Amino acid sequence: MAKRERVVRMSVELPLWRALTAYRVLTMGYAVLLFVFGRDRFERPWVAVGFLAFLAVWTLATLPKVANAARCTKRFLVADLTIALVGILLTPVADAHAQQIDGTTLPSIWTAGAVLAYAIKGGWRWAGFASSLVAVANIIERGEPSRDTFHNVLLVWVASIGIGYVVEVARASERTLARALEIEAATRERERLARDIHDGVLQVLAMVQRRGTALGGEAAELGRMAGEQEVALRTLVAGGLAPASRVSEDETQGAVVRLIDEPDEPEEPDDAGPCDLRTLLAPYAGSRVTLSEPGAPVPLPRPAAKELAAAVGAALDNVRRHAGDEAQAWILVEDWPDEVIVTVRDDGPGIPEGRLAQAEGEGRLGVALSIRGRLRDIGGTAELISVPGQGTEVELKVPRGKAGR
């Protein structure tokens, strides 16, 4: 998170630092040109030459210091502002008439660069501090400041504070954006885990409950415990607090040991290359499931093809669970130039109106996560059409452009 926030912050501040670097170089050259064209009025030109030479060397040597916020240290800011203040106060020493005429100071508008560095680095408070010191130095240098002097001082003060405030607002916005991205990533990961749990553990627990209840006896007790665990796990997945389970430690210890001792399955390579969707959907075909597919391959990026096939599997699980083992289902694969459409249809009793919203409230997130969530993650959409007594149809669309990302 810290690394991400640092990268985002640099993306906003970097143009400001680059602009400041160019500004310092250009205004340094401008100050030198002002002296060259007005050197005849200087009573002590050697003072101006010495200061401007030092200013030129300092400006060029410290260009890396104004490359970003990390390199622009407090020590550098203090030294930079000190040089600007010294240049302002040396102006009447080099030019005795500087206080009588409304001329420019030795560093001229280069001084504003030192103030802007404070603004970009520390915000409007730092900018106000630096511009106030510059204002005092200008008033002292003038002796009897004119209206133009106050106008220039006020302009630098307002501009620097305004830039500092904008920088602080930008930083706050960047932090908010980084936090939102972090929350979004965590939410997506939680939804992915919830889909995996729904497709695996919850389906098994529901099957154990149904079979145990049907068998009766000790199996019915196992079915009851499986049902309690299913409810608790669904509540946890939905974001609530699961009720305490009544399954004893002895009953669960064996299952935990078996899970630990079970060897890990080899991980499949997460290859983003093209994959024929037909090969992933073929295992779903059977006596109760009819698969209709094109004669040519249906290429999709492997991650998108896996998620689409998993969504089809989740739709078929819903058919077996809600329409019964005797229900007939059909899978239709359509390969279009700009998108792939997979339709899963059954001849079950259909879904009553409002049942999906009620299921989500009860923590049954099969459609919300295992189907719609998977399609959303790969840039697709899932549309469910159901008429009571006429079956259910789930249409899954995956645009090829989005699926490749």
Side-chain angles (χ1 to χ4, degrees), residues 158-177:
V158 172
S160 60
I161 290 180
I163 293 176
Y165 180 77
V166 170
V167 170
E168 288 191 0
V169 172
R171 287 175 178 170
S173 300
E174 295 280 338
R175 288 192 295 267
T176 303
L177 175 61

Side-chain angles (χ1 to χ4, degrees), residues 12-13 16-17 20 112-131 155-173 175:
V12 170
E13 294 185 6
L16 296 177
W17 289 110
L20 179 60
V115 177
L116 292 178
Y118 272 80
I120 301 175
K121 173 69 176 182
W124 68 271
R125 294 177 180 84
W126 289 28
F129 169 76
S131 58
L155 182 63
V156 174
W157 193 73
V158 172
S160 60
I161 290 180
I163 293 176
Y165 180 77
V166 170
V167 170
E168 288 191 0
V169 172
R171 287 175 178 170
S173 300
R175 288 192 295 267

Side-chain angles (χ1 to χ4, degrees), residues 54 70 92 104 118-119 125 148 162 183 192 205 220 224 265 275 286 300 344:
F54 178 80
T104 60
Y118 272 80
R125 294 177 180 84
D148 291 337
I183 294 175
R192 185 189 67 81
L205 290 176
R224 181 190 63 79
E265 296 182 359
C275 173
L300 277 177
V344 180

Side-chain angles (χ1 to χ4, degrees), residues 285-308:
S287 59
R288 296 292 178 182
V289 179
T290 302
L291 175 62
S292 301
E293 58 188 13
V298 183
L300 277 177
R302 185 172 297 275
K306 288 183 177 179
E307 290 297 314
L308 181 55

Side-chain angles (χ1 to χ4, degrees), residues 190 194 197-198 201-202 205 226-245 358-366 369:
R190 183 176 176 219
I197 293 174
H198 177 273
V201 179
L202 290 178
L205 290 176
E228 292 178 357
Q229 292 300 304
E230 180 192 3
V231 173
L233 191 54
R234 287 188 186 277
T235 305
L236 181 61
V237 169
L241 296 177
S245 173
Q358 180 183 358
E360 291 187 18
E362 296 173 353
R364 301 180 180 274
L365 306 177
L369 295 181

Side-chain angles (χ1 to χ4, degrees), residues 247-391:
V247 182
S248 66
E249 181 179 357
D250 294 337
E251 291 173 323
T252 59
Q253 185 176 4
V256 174
V257 171
R258 285 193 296 274
L259 288 175
I260 295 176
D261 293 340
E262 185 176 350
D264 295 334
E265 296 182 359
E267 295 183 358
E268 297 182 2
D270 190 11
D271 184 14
C275 173
D276 188 2
L277 178 63
R278 301 180 306 167
T279 61
L280 299 180
L281 297 180
Y284 294 129
S287 59
R288 296 292 178 182
V289 179
T290 302
L291 175 62
S292 301
E293 58 188 13
V298 183
L300 277 177
R302 185 172 297 275
K306 288 183 177 179
E307 290 297 314
L308 181 55
V312 172
L316 293 176
D317 287 339
N318 287 336
V319 173
R320 287 190 293 268
R321 181 170 184 177
H322 301 290
D325 295 334
E326 301 300 322
Q328 187 73 28
W330 294 266
I331 303 175
L332 174 62
V333 181
E334 301 176 77
D335 186 13
W336 298 96
D338 56 344
E339 64 181 356
V340 174
I341 302 177
V342 179
T343 305
V344 180
R345 184 171 59 87
D346 65 75
D347 59 356
I351 303 176
E353 184 178 357
R355 177 54 185 154
L356 290 180
Q358 180 183 358
E360 291 187 18
E362 296 173 353
R364 301 180 180 274
L365 306 177
V367 174
L369 295 181
S370 293
I371 299 179
R372 288 175 179 162
R374 292 184 189 277
L375 270 294
R376 184 189 64 242
D377 288 348
I378 59 177
T381 58
E383 183 178 359
L384 189 145
I385 303 173
S386 180
V387 178
Q390 300 182 21

